[in-house]
Amino acid sequence: MSDPNHDKGEHYITTPKAEPLLERLIFNNRAIILLVFFFLTLFLGYNAIKIEPDASFERMIPLEHPYIVNMLEHRDDLENLGNFVRIAVEVEEGDIFTREYMETLKQITDEVFYLDGVDRSGLKSLWTSNVRWVEVTEQGFQGGTVIPDNYDGSPESLEALRQNVLRSNEVGRLVSDNFKSTIVYAPLYEKNPETGEPLDYADFSRQLEKKIRQKYEAQNPEIDIHIVGFAKKVGDLIEGIGSIAYFAGITILLTTLLLFWYSRCIAGTLVPVFTSIVAVFWQLGVLKLLGYGLDPYSVLVPFLVFAIGISHGVQLVNAMAVEAAKGFDPNTAARLAFRALYIPGMLALISDAFGFLTLLFIEIDVIRDLAVAAGLGVAIVIVTNLVLHPLIMSYIGITRGGIRNVQKRGEQQDRKWKLMSNFANPRVAPISLLIAAIGLGVGLYYKQGLKVGDLDEGAPELRADSRYNLDNKFIIDNYSTSADVLVVMVKTEEEQCTQYNVLRAMDTLQWELQNTPGVQSSASLADVSKMVTKALNEGNWKWYEISRNQTIINASIREAPAGLINTNCDLTPVLVFLEDHKAETLETVTERVEEFASNNNTDEYTFLLAAGNAGVEAATNDVISGAKNMMLLFVYGVVATLCLLTFRSVRAVLCILIPLGLTSVLAEAIMAVSGIGIKVATLPVIALGVGIGVDYGIYIYTKLEKFLLEGETLQDAYFETLRSTGKAVIFTGVTLGLGVVTWIFSPIKFQADMGFLLFFMFIWNMVGSIWLLPALARFLLRPDHMVARAGGRK
């Protein structure tokens, strides 16, 4: 094929039929449009720098799930809703029964009491009045606060404290089994009751570090402090966001170097980087104006926006360099590049946006926020990439170095493309399809082990050696009550929660749960009643039972701990302490409770799931499990529909989507083998990988179809496709991969997981479009089909 001369090019560029209205609108008003971009960038950039980290307990849970609906409906009557912190104060030498330790614990309790966000009425510590001991004597019940009224730090008062602790039933709960640490338990408000402002988790976490851990470990070197709870975990996640700035710098530097190596053109390097950064500032500015912040899950979206902008910018630079090498001036080269790319570019970016927007169907606000942020970012990239980028380049143009680089793509590079064009060879294509089929089979086999939910102990969002997970391990190892609590709510008529039949049903459920794998222990009003009834009968274990006499029951629960009965006595919880919050554990326990409830619920009482942090996890897993397949079907359906509307061929759609499907299967297999579950952090990766990965196939197929319609054989058409756009597609895959691979080093584990998975999907989608798409075309695109398509075009 001979290159058109300059005159033909000029005639072509001014032909009304060949010059789209959009092209005339943009390039005939270059100066005005660039001025608008300048002022918009100043305005949105100003707002972008004011965006702040944002996290909320309620935004991270599926508010429409029945478990969460039940929990929020009764939240005022329950403790252990999952939003609390537990501060374990450990002594390195000796035990807790020393003057120095108790004084430090008192100071820490007072300090926590005054922290903003703490529900002070529910605060528990050995120093709070709601932690009591009770015993039965010949004169009846005796009891009092665990700290003796005459406590003065003397050996006698410390011994009295020891006896009170042993009688308090708090060993294993607030006091460690080895008496080397105690816990300060602080329930939290989601919103400040005075101001109505949501709890600032980042600030609260910093206060815990500065006012509690750092202050008192420095004050008493013999003390170690361990802090766990939702608020602390989110605070640590937000703290980890700070490291994102380093990854951003590394990504921009690597991308710039690679772009220069690819284009050998200063303008072709700096302009795509500049316009992609503009897109990120626009995105953050618009999010700020819409009232959004950046939570730990959506903070990585700007990386994606930058990478997407670069990947599409590479296509424009490549197309402009080719046109400039033919002798066209910068404005004409930019217009020709725009004309060649705006349809596939818009199709690819719209596919990206719809891929992200499928996440809106998942009933978890942080995922919906991520969908909005990503969809908005891609919409902005459409503007910056297809308008701002070509307009700037129409003034600057490709440098001489960039033009020489294109002109030097001689026989050696052609030999490489000639070799790769054999992927469309009739003898090679069946081998490629066989390899793909084997890969599909291996992927389907291994993906059977893919689990929904967390697969590790502690906070899987953070690394195993993180400070939070080490603190969590300490509490698990030293306390008999787990940090993972599932709360089953027992609903009755008013003043009926202590009836014999109710307590008996609760006791039966507890017996079943304590014989269920994954359950550590349980507690309820039934336990209190049995324990006190035994105590009233000289401690005889034969009386460790729920009495049928209602008077005895009423007497036995008179001193029931707070949280086990509400004011109206129409709700009482069963607290189930789990060994962990792994997906299998939660599924097993909730299924057992639901089965029990369906067989035992009556007009007298109803068992409801679920509160507690484990209940929240179970509801989240349920939503994600139900949404995964629907989301995949929708994202593939949207991409298929857009491709069908553009190429008007089912065969074309299959050529583009089959490599994507193989990538999705292999990615899920890798997740299963790597021990990465499907959860809030990883579910969006599936949609992101498909939405962005389709870009490669669209660019390759657009060029391939063009050459086929010109009468080329499939292998020759693919050779020309590789010559014109193959290098850009390969470079795009590498660039996108580098844009996310740096996340692997993040201190936040779920960000590292996302980076690893996206890196695989971006690279493998690129490989699929280069290797598998032409093999599929060999079998799907028949010559008669292309002749019919050509006739349709005419």
Side-chain angles (χ1 to χ4, degrees):
M1 295 177 63
S2 61
D3 292 338
N5 59 38
H6 189 278
D7 293 336
K8 288 181 179 179
E10 287 295 342
H11 175 71
Y12 179 69
I13 196 71
T14 56
T15 304
K17 182 178 179 181
E19 187 178 276
L21 173 64
L22 185 61
E23 180 185 322
R24 294 200 303 274
L25 182 65
I26 292 172
F27 285 89
N28 292 348
N29 301 281
R30 290 186 296 168
I32 295 173
I33 293 174
L34 286 176
L35 194 63
V36 171
F37 269 101
F38 175 76
F39 286 111
L40 275 175
T41 302
L42 288 180
F43 173 69
L44 293 175
Y46 171 75
N47 283 279
I49 61 176
K50 296 196 298 181
I51 197 166
E52 297 178 352
D54 178 37
S56 164
F57 176 68
E58 291 188 357
R59 299 191 69 77
M60 294 186 179
I61 62 179
L63 296 176
E64 298 172 32
H65 191 278
Y67 290 5
I68 306 302
V69 171
N70 291 336
M71 181 186 82
L72 295 179
E73 182 180 348
H74 302 292
R75 68 184 307 167
D76 293 336
D77 296 322
L78 295 168
E79 293 184 354
N80 299 310
L81 288 178
N83 201 5
F84 59 85
V85 291
R86 298 205 295 178
I87 304 167
V89 184
E90 177 195 14
V91 61
E92 294 181 358
E93 299 292 337
D95 59 26
I96 63 173
F97 301 109
T98 65
R99 176 195 292 268
E100 293 76 16
Y101 177 88
M102 294 307 299
E103 180 59 29
T104 299
L105 180 64
K106 181 178 184 298
Q107 293 175 12
I108 291 174
T109 302
D110 292 342
E111 195 88 55
V112 173
F113 182 86
Y114 288 106
L115 290 179
D116 291 336
V118 171
D119 179 1
R120 292 161 187 165
S121 64
L123 183 70
K124 286 185 179 180
S125 157
L126 292 185
W127 280 97
T128 58
S129 59
N130 54 2
V131 178
R132 305 177 64 83
W133 62 272
V134 178
E135 69 174 358
V136 178
T137 66
E138 294 177 353
Q139 289 76 34
F141 280 98
Q142 288 186 350
T145 57
V146 169
I147 299 292
D149 293 337
N150 59 350
Y151 176 83
D152 58 6
S154 65
E156 294 78 14
S157 60
L158 288 170
E159 181 58 31
L161 171 62
R162 182 192 296 270
Q163 295 303 318
N164 290 350
V165 167
L166 292 172
R167 293 179 291 188
S168 69
N169 199 34
E170 294 294 349
V171 176
R173 296 176 182 268
L174 287 183
V175 180
S176 65
D177 298 324
N178 59 5
F179 298 104
K180 292 182 71 67
S181 67
T182 66
I183 279 178
V184 178
Y185 171 87
L188 305 177
Y189 290 113
E190 179 63 20
K191 293 184 178 179
N192 188 316
E194 296 178 0
T195 64
E197 293 292 321
L199 178 62
D200 185 338
Y201 288 101
D203 181 65
F204 186 78
S205 179
R206 284 193 294 269
Q207 289 188 62
L208 288 174
E209 289 297 324
K210 184 177 180 180
K211 295 185 177 180
I212 306 299
R213 196 196 305 263
Q214 295 175 9
K215 177 180 178 180
Y216 289 98
E217 284 184 347
Q219 179 177 306
N220 188 341
E222 297 296 317
I223 292 294
D224 288 326
I225 293 177
H226 311 270
I227 309 173
V228 299
F230 175 83
K232 189 68 184 76
K233 179 176 72 174
V234 173
D236 286 357
L237 288 176
I238 294 174
E239 181 183 339
I241 290 175
S243 63
I244 296 297
Y246 297 106
F247 300 133
I250 294 170
T251 298
I252 292 172
L253 178 62
L254 287 175
T255 302
T256 303
L257 293 175
L258 279 172
L259 266 173
F260 184 74
W261 171 83
Y262 171 79
S263 67
R264 299 295 198 277
C265 172
I266 296 294
T269 299
L270 297 181
V271 174
V273 172
F274 171 74
T275 55
S276 297
I277 291 174
V278 167
V280 170
F281 274 95
W282 277 36
Q283 178 209 27
L284 296 177
V286 174
L287 287 175
K288 174 65 177 177
L289 291 173
L290 293 176
Y292 288 90
L294 283 180
D295 61 63
Y297 297 94
S298 63
V299 72
L300 298 178
V301 172
F303 275 81
L304 290 176
V305 172
F306 177 80
I308 293 169
I310 289 293
S311 69
H312 289 276
V314 168
Q315 298 289 338
L316 184 78
V317 169
N318 182 68
M320 272 198 68
V322 171
E323 300 300 337
K326 297 175 183 178
F328 290 113
D329 62 84
N331 186 30
T332 303
R335 296 183 74 151
L336 288 171
F338 173 86
R339 185 178 306 170
L341 293 176
Y342 84 94
I343 290 179
M346 287 187 69
L347 172 62
L349 288 167
I350 290 171
S351 298
D352 295 349
F354 275 105
F356 300 149
L357 293 177
T358 58
L359 297 171
L360 289 173
F361 290 95
I362 300 172
E363 298 170 351
I364 301 174
D365 284 344
V366 289
I367 295 184
R368 288 174 168 171
D369 290 351
L370 187 149
V372 170
L376 180 65
V378 172
I380 289 170
V381 168
I382 292 176
V383 178
T384 58
N385 215 74
L386 295 180
V387 181
L388 179 62
H389 189 181
L391 286 185
I392 295 176
M393 291 300 292
S394 71
Y395 283 104
I396 300 175
I398 301 295
T399 61
R400 291 180 180 178
I403 294 173
R404 284 197 300 269
N405 184 50
V406 172
Q407 292 171 338
K408 286 179 181 178
R409 293 175 186 173
E411 294 182 3
Q412 184 178 359
Q413 201 161 42
D414 280 354
R415 284 199 297 270
K416 178 176 66 177
W417 301 135
K418 199 74 176 177
L419 180 64
M420 292 178 66
S421 72
N422 282 312
F423 288 138
N425 187 287
R427 290 189 296 273
V428 176
I431 298 173
S432 295
L433 294 183
L434 178 61
I435 293 172
I438 293 172
L440 178 64
V442 171
L444 290 172
Y445 174 77
Y446 281 105
K447 78 185 286 286
Q448 295 177 92
L450 184 63
K451 304 290 185 183
V452 174
D454 295 330
L455 306 183
D456 302 307
E457 294 181 353
E461 298 91 345
L462 301 168
R463 296 190 181 273
D465 60 353
S466 67
R467 180 177 57 200
Y468 182 90
N469 277 330
L470 293 177
D471 287 350
N472 188 71
K473 186 176 186 303
F474 172 84
I475 289 179
I476 291 174
D477 292 343
N478 289 277
Y479 292 83
S480 59
T481 53
S482 165
D484 297 309
V485 185
L486 178 75
V487 180
V488 181
M489 294 160 279
V490 185
K491 182 71 175 172
T492 68
E493 294 294 329
E494 194 167 322
E495 302 297 337
Q496 299 299 307
C497 71
T498 61
Q499 294 299 304
Y500 171 79
N501 289 341
V502 177
L503 297 184
R504 189 68 185 169
M506 293 167 63
D507 191 47
T508 303
L509 173 62
Q510 286 180 255
W511 183 86
E512 288 196 16
L513 289 176
Q514 286 168 189
N515 288 280
T516 299
V519 175
Q520 188 182 71
S521 62
S522 65
S524 76
L525 207 56
D527 293 327
V528 175
S529 181
K530 291 194 294 183
M531 185 66 71
V532 174
T533 301
K534 175 179 78 79
L536 289 170
N537 289 275
E538 300 178 345
N540 191 326
W541 282 97
K542 290 182 179 180
W543 288 92
Y544 187 69
E545 188 55 83
I546 299 170
S547 174
R548 291 180 178 273
N549 188 316
Q550 191 61 44
T551 303
I552 294 177
I553 291 176
N554 294 341
S556 67
I557 55 94
R558 187 175 298 147
E559 299 294 330
L564 290 183
I565 185 171
N566 70 340
T567 305
N568 297 327
C569 190
D570 59 3
L571 187 85
T572 180
V574 176
L575 307 182
V576 187
F577 300 96
L578 307 180
E579 293 177 357
D580 52 59
H581 55 256
K582 294 180 181 178
E584 291 179 339
T585 302
L586 296 175
E587 186 177 354
T588 300
V589 175
T590 53
E591 283 181 356
R592 181 64 60 89
V593 175
E594 286 179 344
E595 181 182 355
F596 180 88
S598 64
N599 294 330
N600 293 274
N601 280 349
T602 67
D603 294 336
E604 192 175 354
Y605 53 80
T606 304
F607 287 86
L608 302 173
L609 279 167
N613 64 317
V616 171
E617 293 272 0
T620 304
N621 291 351
D622 190 38
V623 167
I624 289 175
S625 179
K628 172 183 167 288
N629 292 330
M630 180 195 71
M631 183 199 71
L632 267 179
L633 286 173
F634 192 85
V635 68
Y636 273 99
V638 168
V639 170
T641 301
L642 290 171
C643 290
L644 187 61
L645 291 173
T646 303
F647 298 111
R648 304 192 306 280
S649 168
V650 174
R651 298 169 188 267
V653 172
L654 292 174
C655 286
I656 294 171
L657 289 194
I658 289 175
L660 283 179
L662 177 61
T663 302
S664 292
V665 170
L666 292 177
E668 291 188 9
I670 286 178
M671 290 176 68
V673 172
S674 304
I676 301 173
I678 298 179
K679 48 194 176 183
V680 172
T682 55
L683 180 63
V685 172
I686 300 171
L688 299 178
V690 174
I692 298 176
V694 73
D695 298 358
Y696 311 116
I698 289 172
Y699 279 116
I700 290 289
Y701 189 85
T702 300
K703 286 288 186 181
L704 180 64
E705 184 188 56
K706 172 181 178 294
F707 291 118
L708 286 172
L709 292 176
E710 291 176 357
E712 302 273 7
T713 64
L714 179 61
Q715 188 166 344
D716 288 343
Y718 190 55
F719 170 67
E720 295 295 337
T721 298
L722 290 173
R723 286 187 66 194
S724 59
T725 198
K727 185 177 181 181
V729 166
I730 293 171
F731 179 81
T732 295
V734 173
T735 304
L736 277 171
L738 284 176
V740 296
V741 75
T742 53
W743 303 355
I744 293 174
F745 304 102
S746 171
I748 301 177
K749 187 175 183 297
F750 79 78
Q751 290 179 350
D753 290 343
M754 289 179 74
F756 169 67
L757 292 172
L758 285 172
F759 174 74
F760 169 79
M761 296 186 80
F762 291 160
I763 297 296
W764 190 254
N765 276 325
M766 179 267 290
V767 171
S769 67
I770 294 290
W771 157 67
L772 188 55
L773 189 152
L776 290 166
R778 170 60 61 184
F779 289 90
L780 293 173
L781 302 183
R782 302 296 183 186
D784 56 341
H785 168 68
M786 296 314 299
V787 170
R789 294 275 292 128
R793 286 285 175 91
K794 292 175 185 178

